[in-house]
Amino acid sequence: MWIRLLELAHGSDHDNAGTEIWSTQQNIDVVARAVIRCFDEVVREYGESAYRGKWGEHFPRTELEALRTAWREHRGGWATSATPSNP
């Protein structure tokens, strides 16, 4: 995965109008684990009900669980493909 953090004068501007302030190339496993860990920590620290008051949105429980499921399935595929076949 290539991740770029851009500073845009207006949020609706095209990426080409932004200034890159940080970028990284990471394995998808690393990114998924980091996102899941961060949201798990936020919910542990603040709780889902306080999340909206702090960030103005409902806690993205459905999206988090979908990411967690996709990540586990992806990891399972890696384990299967990395395991040598038995003749």
Side-chain angles (χ1 to χ4, degrees):
M1 272 184 108
W2 185 282
I3 302 169
R4 294 174 62 213
L5 184 60
L6 303 174
E7 182 176 39
L8 300 171
H10 303 96
S12 61
D13 285 350
H14 188 278
D15 289 357
N16 293 339
T19 302
E20 185 176 295
I21 57 176
W22 178 80
S23 70
T24 185
Q25 189 171 0
Q26 297 292 328
N27 179 295
I28 196 166
D29 184 57
V30 170
V31 175
R33 274 187 300 142
V35 170
I36 291 167
R37 240 185 280 138
C38 287
F39 274 102
D40 284 346
E41 181 62 29
V42 165
V43 82
R44 263 193 303 277
E45 187 168 335
Y46 298 102
E48 289 188 33
S49 58
Y51 182 93
R52 183 173 181 134
K54 194 153 192 65
W55 284 280
E57 298 287 337
H58 290 288
F59 184 81
R61 172 60 58 197
T62 302
E63 294 84 352
L64 176 58
E65 294 311 319
L67 175 61
R68 192 184 315 271
T69 298
W71 175 62
R72 285 179 180 148
E73 289 172 359
H74 189 73
R75 286 183 52 216
W78 286 346
T80 303
S81 65
T83 304
S85 343
N86 291 330

